[in-house]
Amino acid sequence: GGNTSGWEFKAVIKRGANAGTTALVAAVTPTLIAQDAGASTWAVAVTADTSNGCLAVAVTGQAETTIRWVCLLESTEVTY
């Protein structure tokens, strides 16, 4: 019943010998699909987490507002 916002992104990430070598192959810019006017300050960022060796999705909402965030992530992993 409140404000809503939705983004979509595609990313390629790789991890070398350890978590510290995890890196995005190219910068990721999430594409805004739709957003209510009241959600105009909300944002999403996609980065490489070099502490855990994985993809990180971080969100920013607005002060003093409860926001229920959901992330659907589909991935393919190759190991050798």
Side-chain angles (χ1 to χ4, degrees):
N3 293 311
T4 301
S5 189
W7 296 268
E8 179 178 66
F9 65 87
K10 293 183 180 182
V12 176
I13 190 166
K14 64 181 177 179
R15 177 180 165 160
N18 55 51
T21 62
T22 303
L24 290 170
V25 175
V28 177
T29 303
T31 301
L32 180 64
I33 297 169
Q35 188 172 62
D36 288 327
S40 63
T41 61
W42 301 3
V44 63
V46 181
T47 59
D49 179 340
T50 57
S51 296
N52 297 299
C54 62
L55 184 74
V57 179
V59 294
T60 304
Q62 65 192 69
E64 300 179 21
T65 303
T66 300
I67 301 170
R68 294 185 179 115
W69 296 98
V70 177
C71 179
L72 170 63
L73 193 77
E74 294 181 31
S75 67
T76 302
E77 183 176 342
V78 177
T79 61
Y80 60 94

